């Protein structure tokens, strides 16, 4: 401690570990300084220090003054607005959910992105921690009917027994008997015959089965 030094310590949230121990040891001295180069989650000591508190509670329960200087620099490897916007434009997702970052920054990004896209095409959401998010997707699907199933139109309201096959995002509806002729798929029949040992009289077994069925 006699010589000036720079110590790079983790974790960055200052919740525990070496960074927390060093901070509690040095935070009372005005000659020291803290530089936080990354995002801090709400509820952590690192995030609390951004409010410049006069004192903090140590992990042992004591209170110590905070006299050192606190500096925050944005040093993030995450994408910026231009990169995020380009990514959304390329994918055109129905929903975009912001889940990583400061609340104010995420809401600012949400508003900026929402101005660039039609809300009917892309929805931007910024939920709170542990907040449930309900997403709506178009429910209509179109299936092509082939084989013997397409020979006769079903009556209105009648039940249809068929197989629904999905291939390359296209749906096909066909009878089970047409599976091997209309597709490269094959049907398989599995017959299961359970066996068990029974040493009691057969009448007792029949009576027990009769009570079930």
């Amino acid at each position: 401690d006699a010589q000036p030094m720079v110590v790079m310590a983790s974790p960055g949230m200052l919740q525990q570990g070496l960074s927390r121990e060093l901070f509690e040891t040095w935070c009372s001295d005005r000659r020291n300084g803290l530089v936080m180069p990354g995002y801090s989650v709400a509820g952590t000591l690192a995030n609390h220090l951004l409010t410049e508190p006069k004192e903090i509670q140590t992990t042992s329960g004591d209170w110590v003054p905070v006299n050192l200087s606190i500096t925050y620099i944005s040093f993030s490897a995450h994408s910026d607005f231009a990169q995020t916007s380009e990514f959304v434009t390329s994918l055109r997702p129905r929903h975009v959910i912001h889940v990583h970052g400061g609340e104010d920054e995420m809401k600012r990004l949400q508003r900026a992105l929402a101005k660039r896209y039609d809300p009917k095409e892309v929805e931007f959401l910024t939920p709170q921690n542990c907040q449930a998010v309900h997403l709506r997707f178009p429910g209509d699907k179109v299936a092509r009917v082939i084989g013997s199933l397409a020979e006769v139109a079903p009556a209105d309201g009648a039940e249809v027994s068929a197989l629904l096959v999905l291939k390359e995002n296209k749906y096909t509806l066909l009878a089970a008997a047409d599976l091997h002729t209309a597709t490269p798929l094959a049907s398989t029949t599995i017959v299961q015959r359970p066996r068990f040992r029974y040493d009691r009289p057969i009448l007792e077994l029949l009576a027990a089965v009769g009570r079930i069925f």
Side-chain angles (χ1 to χ4, degrees), residues 132-205:
V133 175
H134 300 277
L135 305 179
R136 296 183 179 274
F137 296 91
D140 296 336
K141 300 292 183 182
V142 178
R144 184 169 62 99
V145 182
I146 62 173
S148 59
L149 198 65
E151 295 177 357
V152 181
D156 187 20
E159 294 184 359
V160 176
S161 177
L163 299 177
L164 184 64
V165 179
L166 173 62
K167 181 180 180 181
E168 298 178 353
N169 294 324
K170 296 181 180 180
Y171 292 90
T172 302
L173 200 65
L174 70 160
D178 298 333
L179 183 66
H180 68 284
T181 57
T183 71
L185 303 175
S187 59
T188 301
T189 302
I190 299 177
V191 179
Q192 182 178 9
R193 295 188 176 91
R195 296 173 179 265
F196 61 93
R197 184 179 182 84
Y198 182 74
D199 297 326
R200 303 287 297 172
I202 187 64
L203 293 179
E204 293 184 8
L205 177 61

Side-chain angles (χ1 to χ4, degrees), residues 116-150:
R116 302 192 59 173
Y117 302 93
D118 186 345
K120 295 180 180 179
E121 296 181 359
V122 185
E123 180 185 18
F124 296 91
L125 303 170
T126 308
Q128 298 286 334
N129 291 341
C130 301
Q131 177 184 345
V133 175
H134 300 277
L135 305 179
R136 296 183 179 274
F137 296 91
D140 296 336
K141 300 292 183 182
V142 178
R144 184 169 62 99
V145 182
I146 62 173
S148 59
L149 198 65

